[in-house]
Amino acid sequence: MSYEELLTKLALEDDRFVVMTAENRALVRNLPAKLGKRFVDTGITEQTMVGAAAGLALRGRIPVLHALATFLSMRAFEFIRTDAGIPNLPVKLSSFIPGFLSDGNGPTHQAVEDISIMRGIPNVTVFAAADEQDLVGMLPAIWASPNPAYVRINTRQTTYNHSPFEIGKAEVISEGTDVTILTYGLLFEQALVAVDILKEQGLSVGLVNMRSLKPVDEAAIIKVAKTSKLVVTLEDHFNTGGLYSIVAETLLKHQTTAKVMPYGLDGKWFKPALLPAVLEYEGFTGKQIAEKILGHTTNAIQPEIATPEFAE
């Protein structure tokens, strides 16, 4: 089932759902004809869309909003904070082309600080799916929650069969005593490649899909810190405020420590290009990730990286 198919099914079964967009219909092209007045396009007005959604939520609706991640998280920040966060309304934010998925765009259209921004708002929950199967499995629980939610939308395909989703719980793919990679979103597929290469080098390797970033699975983080010699936080986000910061905060809160390697964007935006070139240039292919962890090159072959279905 695709994202659009899931949203269509739930909206037709429950008339509380209202689908909204700020002139960004890529994920929901077929919804206007099916939902009629319950599909609202406000134009390029992210702030207006969030404000209107809050009003609908106050009247018992479940608004699902669509806009580019960079503008949804930043241009509409005050409205998310004040209109949805403070009153704790079920406004559901579907952020399109977050992180490296905004591959062909420059810094103005790159959302690589969105996790930090959104998790800083009280009551707002934050999620990032590893692929479309993961996303479709996550969204019913997220949309049924009474809290506002920010979701990094990822409709890419992988062959991994994900376990059932629970808000606040990480998905443990494998456990390892030498190194464990904590990741979320798009980079999950490259983490799978890195894990295979590291195992071929004789390491015991763990992988955790941190798909619920707020609330976060603190127990999973603490367990990894205690059982793995090295913890790697892998994300298409600035190191500041993202998963690396989440892990640091969690370790300090529980008065423990670990050897942690941040693997994210260190205070810079990425160079725009097609996604395979972006990952190669910035050092985020599975092969490059594994070799940085190992500290030396290997003879491993990097699998082909599919270009995104959507582009802006």
Side-chain angles (χ1 to χ4, degrees):
M1 181 180 288
S2 70
Y3 172 89
E4 185 179 52
E5 289 168 344
L6 174 69
L7 182 52
T8 301
K9 178 179 182 295
L10 294 180
L12 291 178
E13 292 174 351
D14 187 342
D15 62 9
R16 291 178 301 164
F17 278 90
V18 177
V19 178
M20 304 180 73
T21 178
E23 203 173 89
N24 187 244
R25 301 191 182 196
L27 293 170
V28 289
R29 295 189 188 282
N30 298 305
L31 267 294
K34 296 179 180 179
L35 295 187
K37 292 182 179 180
R38 286 196 289 134
F39 184 93
V40 181
D41 189 337
T42 65
I44 308 176
T45 55
E46 289 83 2
Q47 302 101 315
T48 298
M49 177 178 65
V50 173
L56 288 167
L58 279 170
R59 288 156 180 80
R61 301 288 190 172
I62 304 172
V64 182
L65 282 55
H66 302 83
L68 298 190
T70 182
F71 303 127
L72 190 57
S73 62
M74 288 182 271
R75 180 174 292 164
F77 170 79
E78 181 192 355
F79 288 75
I80 296 170
R81 172 190 178 273
T82 304
D83 294 355
I86 292 174
N88 198 22
L89 295 173
V91 174
K92 311 301 180 178
L93 308 167
S94 289
S95 70
F96 190 53
I97 57 171
F100 286 147
L101 288 174
S102 186
D103 54 345
N105 297 309
T108 60
H109 285 55
Q110 294 176 12
V112 290
E113 60 272 89
D114 57 328
I115 302 299
S116 174
I117 292 169
M118 290 293 104
R119 78 180 186 93
I121 305 174
N123 296 321
V124 174
T125 53
V126 180
F127 307 93
D131 49 47
E132 188 161 43
Q133 189 227 3
D134 197 24
L135 179 69
V136 170
M138 293 166 62
L139 287 174
I142 293 169
W143 287 343
S145 165
N147 306 110
Y150 178 84
V151 184
R152 269 192 169 194
I153 298 298
N154 179 10
T155 58
R156 289 174 67 80
Q157 306 300 312
T158 73
T159 59
Y160 191 81
N161 186 27
H162 294 278
S163 61
F165 172 74
E166 182 180 345
I167 290 175
K169 294 296 182 181
E171 180 187 30
V172 179
I173 310 302
S174 63
E175 297 182 342
T177 56
D178 289 318
V179 57
T180 299
I181 300 173
L182 307 180
T183 192
Y184 59 85
L186 162 72
L187 290 176
F188 176 80
E189 60 187 87
Q190 296 309 311
L192 289 173
V193 174
V195 167
D196 286 342
I197 295 172
L198 292 169
K199 286 182 177 179
E200 289 173 359
Q201 294 291 311
L203 296 182
S204 172
V205 189
L207 175 60
V208 181
N209 177 17
M210 302 295 297
R211 52 192 178 182
S212 181
L213 292 161
K214 182 190 173 187
V216 73
D217 192 339
E218 294 185 359
I221 294 173
I222 296 302
K223 182 177 180 180
V224 165
K226 291 181 177 180
T227 58
S228 195
K229 296 174 185 175
L230 174 66
V231 179
V232 179
T233 56
L234 176 64
E235 55 190 324
D236 51 341
H237 188 279
F238 290 144
N239 287 327
T240 301
L243 182 56
Y244 179 49
S245 292
I246 291 171
V247 169
E249 292 164 11
T250 302
L251 294 178
L252 186 60
K253 175 181 176 181
H254 292 270
Q255 293 294 286
T256 189
T257 189
K259 183 178 180 181
V260 181
M261 173 191 290
Y263 208 122
L265 292 166
D266 192 12
K268 70 179 184 68
W269 287 269
F270 61 86
K271 187 174 183 179
L274 293 178
L275 182 63
V278 170
L279 295 180
E280 176 73 28
Y281 182 84
E282 299 293 346
F284 283 81
T285 67
K287 184 175 188 291
Q288 290 169 314
I289 294 163
E291 291 177 345
K292 184 171 181 180
I293 292 171
L294 288 166
H296 61 78
T297 59
T298 70
N299 294 322
I301 298 174
Q302 169 65 39
E304 183 178 352
I305 299 170
T307 55
E309 177 185 1
F310 300 110
E312 181 63 27

